[in-house]
Amino acid sequence: MDLIPAPVSSVRLPDQDFPLDRTTTLTAPPELAGAERWLRSSLTAATGLPLAPGRPGEGVELLLDATLAAEAYRLSVRPGHAVVTAGGPAGALWGAQTLRRLLGPDAYRRAPLRPSGWVLPGLDLTDAPRFGWRGVLLDVARHFLPKSDVLRFVDQLSAHKLNVLHLHLTDDQGWRVEIKRYPGLTERASWRERSMVGFRSAQRRDDRPHGGFYTQDDLREIVAYAAERAVTVVPEIDLPGHTQAAVAAYPELGNTDVVDTGALGVWTDWGVTENVLNPSEATLRFFEGVLEEVLEIFPSEFVHLGGDECPKEQWKASAAAQARIRELGLSNEDELQSHIIRHFDRWLAERGRRLIGWDEILEGGLAPGAAVSSWRGYNGGIAAARAGHDVVMCPEQHVYLDHRQAAGEREPIPVGFVRTLEDVYRFEPVPAQLDEEAARRVIGTQANLWSEFMDSARDIDYRAFPRLAAFAEVAWSALPADPAARDWAGFERRMAGHLEVLDALGVEYRPADGPHPWQTRPGVVGRPIDGPPPAV
């Protein structure tokens, strides 16, 4: 069976197939009840088979082996007995996902197409991930995505053994998380009057109000749903830049001695605005209040606080900000931003959490316990890893999947670097310049989907897939470190079968021969910024 992502090893045993029928059982110990529940629900819906609980040693069985790593598993299929042996609940879920894939594309449907003919191929398989952080950023701030579509996206991640959903909840263009002590963040900051169409084409507006937000219970539901599928949701609350929506709701958060913050609205442009938070103690207290509620919703070890693209012009012009720099004994505005990041690094650490931010948090001095999302190429991640900080590699030149998948005017809003399916497959997260000790600091990798040009689940499908399947293999499988040595022809062959899985899941991926007709939008201009990725 051609699997994506590829397992560590797999041996096909042609005479050991296991046909499933209405007497086939599914059994698991209490520790693996979540994976058992997910597998029964998924397979019963697709096959119509009841998969009732049975006795150990028969049917489909999930077992626990504490000698395995938490996400590792073994899968053995023999006539009458298929066993997933896992190191923990996550490993059991990944083994269950592989078992589902072995039944073919129709196992991904929500209703049975046939009453019989479900066969698990005989095999012995061992598997474990290369990286512990296999993430995807979903930007719901620029364009709000309804909860049902977020849950559907979680299913897509889990099916590809991706285990982190980085949920970008706040930005200049919208605030998407309910904070009960600050109701203005959803009453005022969650809606903008209109949106820009295309990139750097300010004369084009759709003139439709856009917005929405998730209640705290919505987010708890997303977190719980993801956890059932071995996916951790990491929230991002941007600061001190990318905060105009918050300032529009609470003008005192802005630099009031420089700009009339009371006149600001939720931003209707893309790009980077100069309207950033003021650095006062009152602002820090405000965001501590925000984060107190965020921590109650999200149990993740990491909390992402952005820290990127914070223009310093208002701080330079603000007498209050300059007084703050002197009061704190800082040298410049970069150190002022670092002070804010360090403050929240300590604040999170006191509550048993860890801060992660974009690589700009290196500027002015990196907070001691902070981890870095390296997006501006590899250099930030290299510097952070060498300094002993954990790193998630997500360079925009390689894994920003909102960027176009081919050259030419047919691509919708052709912004960014051209990165084909093969380009993503040949992405290597660990730079060769790192020695063995520093390389261990690369805890994972992440693909990012920024939503300026994606206003629906259909758009997300088109830009994410099939490239996200290639990224999943990069993040999970033990591929050669030399991208040129990877078996692209073999992956391309396996992808042909995997497209049938995406079809069954209802994913509107980009066809190999070009965009869907609905994705062709004449007159919507982009700004190609193509160029070669920086050398690793």
Side-chain angles (χ1 to χ4, degrees), residues 148-348:
S148 58
D149 290 327
V150 177
L151 298 177
R152 173 178 176 269
F153 192 70
V154 168
D155 284 330
Q156 294 172 0
L157 299 191
S158 184
H160 291 85
K161 299 185 174 70
L162 295 163
N163 69 339
V164 175
L165 173 59
H166 174 169
L167 205 55
H168 183 73
L169 290 164
T170 71
D171 215 296
D172 299 307
Q173 298 87 1
W175 185 283
R176 308 295 178 215
V177 52
E178 177 190 28
I179 302 298
K180 293 183 177 179
R181 75 188 69 184
Y182 304 128
L185 291 172
T186 45
E187 293 172 357
R188 175 73 180 86
S190 67
W191 284 87
R192 61 178 180 265
E193 294 180 351
R194 62 184 65 89
S195 301
M196 224 167 96
V197 177
F199 188 68
R200 290 196 175 174
S201 47
Q203 73 279 13
R204 294 184 57 83
R205 305 279 174 172
D206 62 12
D207 290 325
R208 295 179 301 165
H210 178 86
F213 68 92
Y214 308 104
T215 68
Q216 293 193 1
D217 282 345
D218 289 337
L219 291 167
R220 290 188 180 96
E221 179 184 355
I222 290 169
V223 167
Y225 187 88
E228 275 276 286
R229 289 149 181 80
V231 175
T232 298
V233 183
V234 173
E236 179 176 353
I237 306 296
D238 250 315
L239 58 86
H242 287 284
T243 51
Q244 182 167 323
V247 174
Y250 292 92
E252 66 272 19
L253 296 174
N255 294 282
T256 57
D257 59 344
V258 175
V259 64
D260 179 8
T261 57
L264 292 177
V266 178
W267 209 32
T268 59
D269 286 356
W270 310 136
V272 180
T273 175
E274 293 184 357
N275 293 303
V276 302
L277 298 177
N278 73 59
S280 68
E281 285 295 322
T283 297
L284 299 183
R285 298 292 88 75
F286 183 98
F287 276 88
E288 287 173 2
V290 168
L291 290 171
E292 283 176 4
E293 296 191 28
V294 167
L295 296 190
E296 291 174 358
I297 301 167
F298 297 93
S300 58
E301 175 187 4
F302 286 97
V303 175
H304 207 292
L305 293 187
D308 62 315
E309 296 179 325
C310 179
K312 310 298 194 298
E313 284 74 15
Q314 289 187 358
W315 288 353
K316 291 176 182 177
S318 167
Q322 292 303 309
R324 184 75 164 143
I325 289 173
R326 292 191 297 272
E327 173 192 350
L328 296 169
L330 306 176
S331 300
N332 53 39
E333 292 76 20
D334 284 342
E335 289 190 7
L336 183 58
Q337 178 173 344
S338 179
H339 164 78
I340 294 171
I341 296 299
R342 286 172 178 267
H343 171 85
F344 284 107
D345 177 66
R346 292 189 299 270
W347 190 90
L348 288 169

Side-chain angles (χ1 to χ4, degrees), residues 114-129:
R114 49 192 164 88
S116 61
W118 300 99
V119 179
L120 286 171
L123 53 69
D124 285 321
L125 181 150
T126 61
D127 209 3

Side-chain angles (χ1 to χ4, degrees), residues 17-42:
D17 292 355
F18 176 14
L20 307 185
D21 58 31
R22 298 191 66 80
T23 68
T24 301
T25 58
L26 172 59
T27 307
E31 296 90 342
L32 304 181
E36 178 191 20
R37 183 167 53 249
W38 175 86
L39 184 59
R40 179 175 289 110
S41 174
S42 300

Side-chain angles (χ1 to χ4, degrees), residues 405 421 461-462 464-470 495 499 502 509-510:
Q405 301 178 61
L421 180 66
D461 279 3
Y462 175 86
F465 290 99
R467 294 182 295 181
L468 197 58
M495 178 55 69
L499 293 180
L502 298 182
Y509 54 87
R510 182 190 186 277

